[in-house]
Amino acid sequence: MKERLVMTSDGHPFPPVVARPATTADADAVAALLLELGYPTEPASVAARITRLAVEAGSTVMVAVDSSAVCGLATVHLIPLFHRDGSLARITSFVVSSSSQHCGVGTVLLTACETYARSHGAERLEVTSGDRRPVAHAFYEHRGFEREGVRMTRWLVEHRDRS
């Protein structure tokens, strides 16, 4: 079983926010967040992914909760490096519900991602974000992320949605 990582917000007038590992009970809320991000997904599929990643070394699914409602999601995956010792931590999904943005939720989630990465020996944290998300890019840049290189992809299977 993985360790429990909890981060909380404080120091601002918003409701307290806690980042914690996702559970299958969060599947409906996580599916709604993924829909906001542009990735429609069935809650049953989300529950299966949460279950799989909960036991997979080097991956975590975290949710942000305020007043007992899930309001954010982040996933982090560790990638071992070959060209040097250590690993890279990549945030592959990061979303805060539209009703909870600008309330510190994203900062709590990002801090939890960084804590997870550091505690697992990652030397670098990166986030992938679509070209059409300039507000998200500004959020990351404000928190010390820098644009670096170009990411190129090639689909190996056909997908209906290529957001």
Side-chain angles (χ1 to χ4, degrees):
M1 187 73 170
K2 291 185 174 181
E3 75 280 358
R4 185 168 170 80
L5 176 68
V6 177
M7 300 294 293
T8 60
S9 68
D10 54 19
H12 44 75
F14 305 113
V17 177
V18 175
R20 62 161 172 79
T23 69
T24 56
D26 300 318
D28 287 338
V30 169
L33 287 166
L34 288 171
L35 181 60
E36 279 196 50
L37 196 56
Y39 300 102
T41 307
E42 293 297 320
S45 180
V46 169
R49 292 177 201 162
I50 290 170
T51 298
R52 177 176 49 87
L53 292 179
V55 296
E56 185 175 299
S59 293
T60 190
V61 180
M62 293 178 272
V63 291
V65 180
D66 71 1
S67 304
S68 77
V70 172
C71 57
L73 165 72
T75 57
V76 181
H77 306 277
L78 299 174
I79 303 166
L81 299 175
F82 181 76
H83 62 283
R84 59 190 296 156
D85 292 333
S87 62
L88 163 74
R90 179 175 290 157
I91 299 170
T92 59
S93 59
F94 193 95
V95 59
V96 173
S97 68
S98 58
S99 63
S100 296
Q101 293 178 1
H102 308 290
C103 297
V105 175
T107 299
V108 168
L109 267 178
L110 198 55
T111 300
C113 292
E114 184 173 330
T115 299
Y116 176 83
R118 286 183 189 277
S119 71
H120 287 81
E123 63 180 43
R124 194 168 85 175
L125 178 64
E126 74 175 23
V127 61
T128 58
S129 182
D131 290 332
R132 68 183 195 290
R133 300 187 190 283
V135 174
H137 303 164
F139 170 82
Y140 298 126
E141 288 171 346
H142 182 72
R143 283 148 185 88
F145 285 78
E146 298 175 3
R147 292 175 189 260
E148 184 179 283
V150 173
R151 182 177 73 145
M152 301 177 79
T153 63
R154 179 177 176 185
W155 287 92
L156 300 176
V157 296
E158 190 60 37
H159 281 270
R160 291 179 300 219
D161 176 24
R162 295 218 173 155
S163 300

